[in-house]
Amino acid sequence: MNCQRTQELIHGYVDGELDLVRNLAVEQHMEDCRACARVFSNQTTLTSMLRSDSLYHDAPDRLKKRIQSSLRKEVKSEMRPRAFGWRWAAIGATAALILLIALTVWNFVPRSTVPAGDELLAQEIVTDHVRSLQLPGHLVDVLSSDQHTVKPWFDGKVDFAPSVKDFADQNFHLYGGRLEYLNNRGVAALVYQRRLHYINLYIWPSGQAGSTAEVTTQRQGYNLIHWTSSGMNYWAISDLNSVELHEFARLIQQE
Ligand SMILES: [Zn+2]
C-alpha cells in the first residue's frame, strides 16, 4: 500500500471503521513509514481536540423551552379530531423535526468564543509549527536544500505536486519538507531558513481556480500569511518579522 492510499484510510483507521485486512495493511505501512505515522498521530490529536469539552455548549434554556412547547402543541394537535387533518399533523411533525435538528446543531456548532473556518485553521497551523520545532527530528522528513530532491519526495505521499524552489540567493534557504495533516487532509510542508528563523510553508489544493490576496495575522507571537494562487492554498508561518515574511511570500508568489 502506498502513502496516498494509507492516508485515505487513516480517518477510518482512527475511527475504528476498517475491516481487519485494511486495518493490518495500514498498521504495517505505518511501521515502515514515518511520514504516514505522523499523519496518524496528528489526526489522533485533532480528533481528541475536537472531542474536548471546550467545543461543547449546552443549549440555552430559552431554546429548550421553545422546542418543548412546540412538541406539546404537536401532541395536542394530533389528539384533536380527524377534522384537523393529517396534512397539518405532518407539517407540525416536520416543524418539530426541524427544531430538533436546530437543537442538535446548536449543541455541536462552536460559537463566539470558539474560532471557526480560517480561525480554526490558523490555530491548527500554529500548533503544527510549534510542534515541528519542538520535537527533535520533527521539522523535516526529507532534509535537503535541493528542490530536485524535495519535490519528487512528495510523489505518492500527497495527491498533488507542490512547486518547490530554493531562494538561497535571497537568503531564504530551502531546508527540506515533510508531510502534515491539516484541515482534514494530507498537506505538503516546506521548510525554509532565514538566519536562525524557520519558516513553515503549507501547501494544498484549494479546490477553486483563481487566486486570493494575502491575509496577514499574528498569533502567539508568530506571523502568519495565507493566500491562494493557481488553485492552491498557501500558509506561511514563522517567528520572523512580518516585513521579511512578506518578502518571502512575494518570492513564492512570483514562482
Ligand atoms: Zn507512507
Side-chain angles (χ1 to χ4, degrees):
M1 214 158 53
N2 64 16
C3 294
Q4 202 177 318
R5 182 75 187 124
T6 304
Q7 283 159 44
E8 281 164 12
L9 293 175
I10 273 178
H11 255 306
Y13 179 77
V14 170
D15 295 338
E17 289 165 351
L18 299 187
D19 58 53
L20 193 59
V21 177
R22 282 177 170 168
N23 222 51
L24 280 173
V26 169
E27 268 166 18
Q28 264 166 15
H29 179 92
M30 289 196 303
E31 267 171 32
D32 302 324
C33 178
R34 224 161 61 93
C36 286
R38 190 154 71 229
V39 168
F40 166 67
S41 87
N42 287 354
Q43 177 60 22
T44 315
T45 311
L46 183 67
T47 306
S48 64
M49 264 166 64
L50 288 176
R51 277 180 191 148
S52 76
D53 288 345
S54 65
L55 290 176
Y56 189 88
H57 295 268
D58 261 339
D61 282 346
R62 208 156 24 91
L63 183 60
K64 282 179 185 162
K65 278 189 188 125
R66 228 162 68 206
I67 287 170
Q68 277 162 358
S69 85
S70 155
L71 285 173
R72 268 196 299 276
K73 273 184 209 152
E74 175 55 26
V75 170
K76 272 185 207 151
S77 74
E78 276 190 10
M79 280 158 47
R80 269 178 221 161
R82 278 289 165 86
F84 189 70
W86 283 110
R87 193 194 300 181
W88 288 107
I91 289 169
T94 310
L97 186 66
I98 288 167
L99 267 168
L100 266 178
I101 291 167
L103 177 66
T104 311
V105 169
W106 188 280
N107 267 332
F108 285 101
V109 172
R111 283 175 316 282
S112 61
T113 55
V114 182
D118 272 3
E119 287 284 300
L120 198 59
L121 184 55
Q123 195 51 53
E124 230 187 302
I125 279 167
V126 171
T127 306
D128 190 89
H129 178 71
V130 171
R131 189 166 41 190
S132 76
L133 297 170
Q134 268 174 350
L135 304 177
H138 219 68
L139 190 54
V140 287
D141 289 327
V142 52
L143 173 66
S144 172
S145 59
D146 182 3
Q147 61 207 53
H148 303 294
T149 304
V150 176
K151 188 178 166 65
W153 181 84
F154 285 103
D155 288 350
K157 293 189 177 69
V158 287
D159 54 1
F160 57 95
S163 70
V164 180
K165 258 192 168 176
D166 184 25
F167 297 102
D169 291 346
Q170 290 86 3
N171 272 313
F172 291 102
H173 301 269
L174 180 63
Y175 185 77
R178 69 178 190 283
L179 193 61
E180 278 299 352
Y181 197 88
L182 286 175
N183 202 29
N184 290 318
R185 59 161 300 139
V187 312
L190 301 180
V191 181
Y192 288 86
Q193 197 180 7
R194 170 95 153 180
R195 300 187 302 276
L196 295 174
H197 307 277
Y198 288 105
I199 304 168
N200 265 304
L201 177 67
Y202 300 96
I203 308 173
W204 70 95
S206 66
Q208 280 162 0
S211 309
T212 61
E214 284 178 13
V215 178
T216 309
T217 49
Q218 224 180 22
R219 217 162 277 257
Q220 289 162 237
Y222 296 102
N223 286 307
L224 290 86
I225 303 179
H226 73 98
W227 69 93
T228 61
S229 107
S230 311
M232 299 294 249
N233 282 319
Y234 291 86
W235 281 78
I237 177 171
S238 181
D239 61 347
L240 192 64
N241 66 71
S242 72
V243 173
E244 286 176 273
L245 192 60
H246 267 288
E247 197 185 316
F248 171 76
R250 268 193 300 278
L251 284 171
I252 299 288
Q253 289 175 72
Q254 275 165 18
E255 276 172 34

